[in-house]
Amino acid sequence: MLKSVETRLKDYFKKNKRYAINLVSKLIEIPTVNPPGKNYEEMVCFLEKECRKLRLSTKKYVTPKNVLNKFGVRYGSKRVSLVADLDTGAEKTFHINSHYDVVPATDKWKTDPFVAVIKGAKIYGRGSEDMKGNIASVLFAIRALKKCGIKPKINIQLSFTPDEEIGGRTGLGYLVGMGFVKADYAMSEGCSGNYVSMGNKGVLWAEVEILGKSAHGSMPHKGVNSFERMNMLVNEFGKLKKKISKRKTRHSMRDAVSKSATFVMGGFLEGGVKINVVPGAVKFSIDRRLIPEESIGAAKKEIEAVIKKFDAGYKDSKVNIRFISQEGPAISGKDDVFFKVVSDAVKITTGKYANFSVMPGATDMRYFMWKGIPTLGYSASGGGKWHSDDEFVCISSLVKTANVYALVMKDLT
Ligand SMILES: [Zn+2]
């Protein structure tokens, strides 16, 4: 009996996992630590060779100085991205992005973080899970299609980008902004197993300053206690927080408690100089997380309205707010066919139904989502130890992720 294409692929992956293991090991051993961003050129050179072995055409893009300056990138390697194409002559293009930079490692690792150590079913090393393992899976998928003689019905484009760990604006954000990548559908970093991410929450960070009037502690009537004013203001924000936490996204989230928008005060707190001084100025932070249904503009207005009302009630103090960071939430463009293809690929590979959910944190996939492109987040995983000591990726996840990618590449049109 003739084997089905799905079975042939599965057999191929099972028999050839060495390819992915060797590849991820080599990637781990090029320490692309960020900050400051090291060995980027060496990494891109290596990846370019690997892509060419798979007969992909390649192109490099260097993020220019003015863009680096704009986003405060002043040290480290030249910011190089690699784009690799498998052109099938189709109209549409399926884009898969992976970032190749990794966060620094502490000295608490049990093994050398930049030497790949294989123990049982796991590969240890910085970046194994976040997200060099995925690079290996994606290339493994392309190789499997070639070896099994399967020609995709869509163009496939891969990108390997730097600087995701510092926000991605000088990596994938730059490529997407400049139109250097093609994507009718896109996949990038996200969940794993039978979980697929279809969006992420937004974030708004602010610093609130309350100015009163300092005075000697023995004569408080001569001052305005900014700490006490802050206390009152925090109470007012508490009411807003209550309102915000009742807002829940209609999209599913892996963890049901994450469905709400959130408002955290005092992560950063500063003020007061001496025990016998009425504090004249205090500062505290706000960390506001937005669900996909909210917008940064509206979130800012809500906060500012509380301050405006407060200031109107207390003429002898003044509240200033400074928004230090803002990233809108992101959600995939709608596309039933794409979701179905990915969902089927996950079901065939893992035996479980795909679960599409919104992630609490952001990845580079938001750059595609902000353009309205149907985008899903899926990547090889280990123990969920992103950024922590003794990070690892499971060999079974490398294989299964490659299987999912190969099926999506095969079936998308
Ligand atoms: Zn990552």
Side-chain angles (χ1 to χ4, degrees):
M1 206 179 86
L2 266 175
K3 280 187 189 168
S4 73
V5 183
E6 283 76 19
T7 314
R8 273 197 288 140
L9 277 171
K10 200 179 170 194
D11 289 347
Y12 175 84
F13 285 122
K14 212 172 152 191
K15 282 189 201 131
N16 295 278
K17 29 181 142 164
R18 259 293 129 206
Y19 173 82
I21 297 169
N22 288 343
L23 188 52
V24 69
S25 302
K26 285 181 194 152
L27 295 171
I28 288 167
E29 288 168 14
I30 304 174
T32 43
V33 178
N34 188 17
K38 282 186 193 164
N39 305 305
Y40 283 3
E41 283 176 274
E42 190 189 341
M43 174 56 86
V44 165
C45 181
F46 175 80
L47 286 171
E48 187 170 39
K49 276 187 206 141
E50 291 302 314
C51 288
R52 290 202 175 149
K53 279 186 206 165
L54 298 169
R55 305 206 187 290
L56 305 177
S57 61
T58 57
K59 197 165 175 182
K60 289 188 222 171
Y61 294 92
V62 178
T63 311
K65 264 254 150 64
N66 62 322
V67 177
L68 300 184
N69 287 340
K70 189 175 162 194
F71 296 111
V73 175
R74 285 186 188 88
Y75 309 99
S77 296
K78 213 192 246 182
R79 267 46 193 180
V80 207
S81 294
L82 182 71
V83 174
D85 281 286
L86 174 69
D87 197 342
T88 60
E91 236 171 71
K92 290 188 173 178
T93 301
F94 170 38
H95 189 103
I96 307 167
N97 165 259
S98 308
H99 72 84
Y100 63 72
D101 59 320
V102 300
V103 294
T106 70
D107 55 7
K108 303 276 187 310
W109 278 65
K110 288 192 198 84
T111 58
D112 184 339
F114 298 106
V115 173
V117 176
I118 303 169
K119 271 193 222 161
K122 299 168 183 173
I123 306 169
Y124 289 84
R126 172 53 88 221
S128 53
E129 180 170 32
D130 182 11
M131 67 173 300
K132 290 175 169 175
N134 200 67
I135 298 180
S137 290
V138 171
L139 294 176
F140 194 20
I142 302 252
R143 193 166 191 267
L145 292 180
K146 298 240 166 210
K147 297 281 180 183
C148 295
I150 301 163
K151 195 185 164 198
K153 296 182 276 296
I154 192 162
N155 301 315
I156 309 228
Q157 186 176 71
L158 313 180
S159 63
F160 304 97
T161 49
D163 289 355
E164 192 273 348
E165 300 296 358
I166 54 166
R169 302 225 171 240
T170 44
L172 184 66
Y174 169 70
L175 293 190
V176 173
M178 294 300 289
F180 291 149
V181 287
K182 279 185 253 161
D184 293 286
Y185 312 101
M187 287 181 83
S188 183
E189 186 168 31
C191 302
S192 53
N194 66 321
Y195 285 89
V196 182
S197 50
M198 53 172 289
N200 60 254
K201 280 186 173 176
V203 51
L204 176 63
W205 285 350
E207 185 186 272
V208 182
E209 180 187 42
I210 298 98
L211 296 174
K213 195 178 167 215
S214 68
H216 194 279
S218 65
M219 282 181 280
H221 60 277
K222 286 194 172 173
V224 177
N225 191 323
S226 61
F227 175 71
E228 289 174 5
R229 285 292 154 86
M230 179 186 85
N231 195 20
M232 292 187 267
L233 178 64
V234 165
N235 272 334
E236 292 307 312
F237 275 134
K239 293 175 197 163
L240 176 63
K241 176 180 167 166
K242 218 169 170 184
K243 198 168 118 191
I244 286 169
S245 60
K246 282 191 186 132
R247 282 181 208 149
K248 290 192 168 73
T249 177
R250 65 187 161 84
H251 301 289
S252 85
M253 292 202 71
R254 201 166 169 167
D255 191 356
V257 285
S258 304
K259 285 186 92 141
S260 307
T262 57
F263 191 91
V264 174
M265 289 181 275
F268 156 87
L269 198 59
E270 187 187 281
V273 281
K274 209 165 169 278
I275 194 160
N276 59 350
V277 177
V278 174
V282 287
K283 278 181 190 173
F284 71 96
S285 63
I286 293 175
D287 180 350
R288 168 83 161 88
R289 303 294 168 125
L290 290 75
I291 56 173
E293 289 85 347
E294 296 183 299
S295 76
I296 289 282
K300 278 184 176 172
K301 272 190 196 143
E302 273 179 338
I303 295 173
E304 284 164 343
V306 171
I307 293 174
K308 203 177 163 196
K309 197 174 157 206
F310 188 86
D311 267 345
Y314 298 97
K315 296 286 182 202
D316 53 354
S317 61
K318 173 91 185 85
V319 181
N320 295 317
I321 184 154
R322 196 165 66 89
F323 292 103
I324 20 190
S325 178
Q326 60 184 71
E327 286 276 354
I331 195 81
S332 169
K334 253 191 148 37
D335 192 292
D336 294 343
V337 175
F338 180 48
F339 276 57
K340 171 91 170 65
V341 167
V342 174
S343 165
D344 288 347
V346 167
K347 178 73 170 63
I348 291 170
T349 307
T350 67
K352 291 181 195 155
Y353 286 102
N355 199 321
F356 293 93
S357 51
V358 171
M359 286 173 91
T363 73
D364 272 352
M365 68 179 177
R366 69 193 190 284
Y367 293 110
F368 292 116
M369 290 176 173
W370 286 338
K371 293 249 166 204
I373 297 166
T375 310
L376 294 170
Y378 193 77
S379 37
S381 70
K385 298 180 80 155
W386 295 19
H387 299 193
S388 55
D389 301 336
D390 304 317
E391 176 185 350
F392 65 87
V393 69
C394 297
I395 294 170
S396 61
S397 178
L398 289 181
V399 174
K400 283 182 180 163
T401 305
N403 203 124
V404 168
Y405 273 119
L407 293 175
V408 178
M409 289 174 190
K410 169 177 91 64
D411 291 331
L412 262 185
T413 52

